Amino acid sequence: MKNIYQLKFFLAIVVVLCLTSCDEVADPDPGFTTTVDFAGDWFIVGYFEDGSIAYGGDYVLYSTYNTASNDENFWIDDHGTFFEIKTKVQANFDALTFSGAANSEELYTEGTVTVSNGKIITYGGRSFGTETVVDSIYFEAEFDWDPGTIYRFGGHRRTGFLEDDAPHIN
């Protein structure tokens, strides 16, 4: 008889837990990171100072994302391709500009890079396939492996549309 009461008690607990675990929270708000205007995926090309495309390159997918501290710093990352740049820069939220400290650590090559004159231009570009109006990005970088040469980088935000995911320089 004692086992029947224990079973009923156990079933009652399970039912209560199941019903309360299904409660929905009205409109949960995950919020944004501090650098939301700077964060995203970008198709970017590297250029020499004279405007010619660096090393016969093409568009490369870069990502920009907040740091763990969720402050004005964010990462620029080409995922280890082409220029091999992954470094931290600092945003100016009001002007939508960014730059890094001189000779900042570059994580892929374990060298240094100086990022300067970075800018996000709201609605300043178009995707290639769908011609969707998107934000554009620009920055300059000097690497320790090529001191004195300022590379210019420019591109546009990724739309996520399949037609836009393989831009090439004509």
Side-chain angles (χ1 to χ4, degrees):
M1 189 66 120
K2 186 177 179 181
N3 287 340
I4 291 176
Y5 290 119
Q6 288 176 341
L7 180 61
K8 285 182 180 180
F9 179 74
F10 176 74
L11 288 174
I13 296 281
V14 169
V15 168
V16 169
L17 288 175
C18 286
L19 292 176
T20 58
S21 68
C22 295
D23 286 344
E24 291 186 27
V25 177
D27 296 326
D29 181 11
F32 292 103
T33 64
T34 306
T35 57
V36 64
D37 293 331
F38 296 85
D41 290 330
W42 308 85
F43 288 108
I44 296 177
V45 177
Y47 297 92
F48 289 113
E49 291 177 279
D50 66 3
S52 62
I53 297 169
Y55 306 115
D58 205 345
Y59 283 94
V60 173
L61 184 64
Y62 283 63
S63 296
T64 53
Y65 45 90
N66 66 298
T67 61
S69 59
N70 197 27
D71 54 14
E72 70 279 357
N73 296 304
F74 68 95
W75 293 99
I76 296 176
D77 186 354
D78 76 350
H79 308 283
T81 60
F82 208 63
F83 276 92
E84 294 187 314
I85 181 172
K86 181 176 183 179
T87 193
K88 195 184 315 182
V89 295
Q90 188 172 43
N92 176 322
F93 298 121
D94 294 330
L96 287 179
T97 60
F98 60 91
S99 63
N103 300 311
S104 296
E105 181 180 19
E106 197 295 306
L107 298 181
Y108 289 124
T109 64
E110 298 180 4
T112 61
V113 62
T114 302
V115 174
S116 58
N117 299 318
K119 177 84 175 151
I120 303 293
I121 301 123
T122 307
Y123 306 120
R126 286 193 180 272
S127 64
F128 286 94
T130 61
E131 296 190 12
T132 302
V133 176
V134 293
D135 296 345
S136 62
I137 189 170
Y138 174 84
F139 64 94
E140 297 171 356
E142 180 180 3
F143 297 88
D144 67 336
W145 48 263
D146 193 3
T149 302
I150 307 296
Y151 292 93
R152 294 186 169 104
F153 295 85
H156 65 277
R157 190 180 297 271
R158 182 181 186 195
T159 65
F161 296 126
L162 187 59
E163 299 89 344
D164 294 332
D165 265 1
H168 295 289
I169 297 175
N170 296 332

